[in-house]
């Protein structure tokens, strides 16, 4: 595993494990337990994933069984839009997440979306950071137009911005923008959530054949090689093992260029300028 140093000196594994769309508690416990046994040390959850309790329970079990220590773990959670109303609602949401996770601190707290009063909400997570409830704070889905103004007006520049990043939406402009502010980009949907035929794309397969790697491994490697942290999700142990086995090969500049050329320039998963989408997220009640 490689590590990256965040802008406040905190070390973060470059690869982690995402737990979106595993709301069933017993399945989530099984999956997180297997992920920790496989070697993942960064777990990415969120209040909105409705599985913080399952993650917390499994982390406690893995620590009790000597699989990991708390110091080795990097736990991320996110404040949902519903709580991005005031400094107080966001701060209280952090406390609720800590209680569900049964942890004294998390390693990273993100504002989940650039929605609601995100400046006020950020002050809430800044307070949590200053009180030691989290080792770092950041944002998610903050695209350049929003992020630039945000960075110019907050006390603590975000350590991480978690956005959709995969070969079909590679967002090199957003990466350049984050570099300006020393923000680490983290890829959600690093496997494009299985869209675009990513697992059978012949050009990616041809690259993989050279190294004896699957398409999933090639695209995860591509992102990490351009300095992007990745948090792939899989409920299957064999895929968890595959997705973390990406540190023993290096793509050439030409191979990186082949993958860069797949960019469509837009997402086919989310649309933050779509009224229906924004209304739906603003209306999503997680409490
Ligand atoms: P991913 O791009 O990680 O894709 C997950 C899909 O790929 C699942 O269907 C999984 O199936 C399949 N898969 C995983 N590995 C392989 C493999 N090696 N071969 C073939 N299929 C594979 O999508 P996610 O949306 O889950 O993104 C990852 C994480 O990012 C989330 O879990 C979450 O933590 C975070 N996220 C954050 C968002 C945000 O707004 N901040 C939005 C979306 C995600 P199976 O499980 O059956 O193996």
């Amino acid at each position: 595993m490689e590590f990256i140093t965040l802008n406040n000196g905190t070390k973060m594994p470059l690869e982690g494990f995402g737990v979106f769309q595993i709301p069933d508690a017993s399945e989530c416990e099984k999956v997180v337990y297997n992920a920790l046994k496989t070697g993942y040390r960064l777990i990415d959850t969120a209040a909105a994933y409705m599985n913080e309790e399952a993650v917390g329970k499994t982390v406690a079990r893995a620590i009790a069984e000597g699989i990991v220590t708390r110091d080795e773990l990097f736990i991320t959670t996110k404040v949902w839009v519903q709580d991005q109303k005031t400094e107080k609602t966001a701060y209280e949401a952090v406390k609720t997440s800590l209680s569900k996770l049964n942890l004294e601190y998390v390693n990273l707290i993100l504002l989940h979306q650039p929605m609601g009063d995100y400046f006020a909400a950020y002050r809430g997570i800044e307070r949590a950071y200053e009180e030691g409830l989290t080792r770092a704070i950041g944002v998610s889905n903050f695209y350049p137009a929003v992020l630039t103004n945000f960075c110019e007006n907050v006390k603590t520049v975000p350590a991480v911005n978690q956005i959709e990043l995969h070969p079909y939406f590679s967002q090199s402009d957003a990466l350049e923008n984050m570099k300006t502010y020393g923000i680490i980009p983290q890829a959600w949907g690093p496997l494009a959530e299985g869209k675009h035929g990513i697992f059978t794309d012949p050009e990616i397969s041809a690259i993989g054949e050279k190294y004896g790697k699957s398409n999933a491994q090639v695209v995860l490697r591509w992102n990490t090689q351009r300095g992007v942290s990745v948090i792939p999700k899989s409920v299957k142990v064999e895929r968890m093992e595959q997705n973390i086995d990406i540190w023993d090969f290096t793509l050439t500049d030409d191979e990186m260029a082949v993958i860069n050329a797949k960019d469509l320039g837009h997402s086919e998963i989310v649309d933050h300028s779509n009224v229906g989408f924004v209304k739906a997220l603003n209306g999503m009640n997680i409490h």
Side-chain angles (χ1 to χ4, degrees):
M1 180 57 62
E2 287 181 14
F3 289 79
I4 196 156
T5 304
L6 306 182
N7 59 14
N8 67 353
T10 299
K11 279 202 167 20
M12 180 177 82
L14 202 48
E15 182 167 18
F17 186 81
V19 296
F20 181 39
Q21 289 170 335
I22 321 176
D24 179 75
S26 60
E27 177 167 33
C28 186
E29 284 169 30
K30 189 180 87 187
V31 166
V32 173
Y33 186 72
N34 286 335
L36 294 172
K37 280 189 85 170
T38 302
Y40 291 89
R41 294 295 175 259
L42 186 167
I43 304 291
D44 180 84
T45 184
Y49 300 169
M50 313 301 277
N51 56 21
E52 287 173 309
E53 275 153 339
V55 170
K57 212 169 147 187
T58 313
V59 161
R61 178 182 168 199
I63 292 172
E65 291 181 9
I67 295 167
V68 282
T69 63
R70 176 67 187 92
D71 285 350
E72 289 166 345
L73 287 170
F74 192 104
I75 308 294
T76 302
T77 195
K78 313 184 192 85
V79 172
W80 183 241
V81 179
Q82 191 182 2
D83 295 315
Q84 295 184 185
K85 286 193 164 56
T86 65
E87 178 177 335
K88 187 166 184 293
T89 57
Y91 177 77
E92 292 299 332
V94 173
K95 294 278 230 182
T96 302
S97 285
L98 284 172
S99 150
K100 287 187 173 169
L101 287 161
N102 197 20
L103 293 174
E104 285 174 9
Y105 70 94
V106 286
N107 299 78
L108 180 63
I109 290 174
L110 307 176
L111 294 187
H112 207 142
Q113 300 286 347
M115 295 178 189
D117 188 344
Y118 49 82
F119 277 101
Y122 196 73
R123 286 193 291 277
I125 65 170
E126 266 177 334
R127 181 179 158 201
Y129 173 55
E130 283 157 11
E131 290 178 3
L133 303 181
T134 181
R135 297 283 186 258
I137 55 174
V139 293
S140 178
N141 297 298
F142 277 46
Y143 294 112
V146 172
L147 187 66
T148 308
N149 177 61
F150 191 74
C151 290
E152 294 297 331
N153 289 284
V154 290
K155 189 167 68 176
T156 316
V157 171
V160 170
N161 182 20
Q162 186 182 111
I163 62 173
E164 180 184 351
L165 291 166
H166 51 74
Y168 308 95
F169 191 33
S170 52
Q171 303 209 61
S172 52
D173 57 336
L175 300 195
E176 275 307 309
N177 182 253
M178 285 185 234
K179 200 186 272 179
T180 309
Y181 291 101
I183 299 169
I184 300 300
Q186 187 167 59
W188 70 252
L191 302 171
E193 298 189 345
K195 292 184 169 39
H196 308 284
I198 189 166
F199 300 123
T200 50
D201 182 312
E203 286 183 314
I204 299 175
S205 302
I207 296 171
E209 270 166 33
K210 179 174 154 193
Y211 301 104
K213 297 288 178 184
S214 70
N215 283 26
Q217 289 169 312
V218 171
V219 302
L220 293 170
R221 181 71 205 175
W222 163 79
N223 246 333
T224 58
Q225 249 179 252
R226 58 188 199 135
V228 173
S229 163
V230 290
I231 46 168
K233 168 258 172 189
S234 176
V235 296
K236 300 187 173 67
V237 173
E238 182 267 325
R239 290 177 177 174
M240 291 176 192
E241 288 169 353
Q242 190 189 110
N243 294 346
I244 205 173
D245 181 19
I246 59 166
W247 307 105
D248 59 352
F249 71 113
T250 303
L251 300 172
T252 65
D253 289 348
D254 286 350
E255 289 161 349
M256 292 293 284
V258 167
I259 301 174
N260 289 339
K262 298 193 174 291
D263 184 29
L264 300 174
H266 65 271
S267 171
E268 291 189 351
I269 301 176
V270 294
D271 182 355
H272 284 82
S273 63
N274 178 283
V275 174
F277 177 74
V278 176
K279 270 184 189 287
L281 297 198
N282 271 280
M284 193 176 128
N285 183 351
I286 63 159
H287 297 304

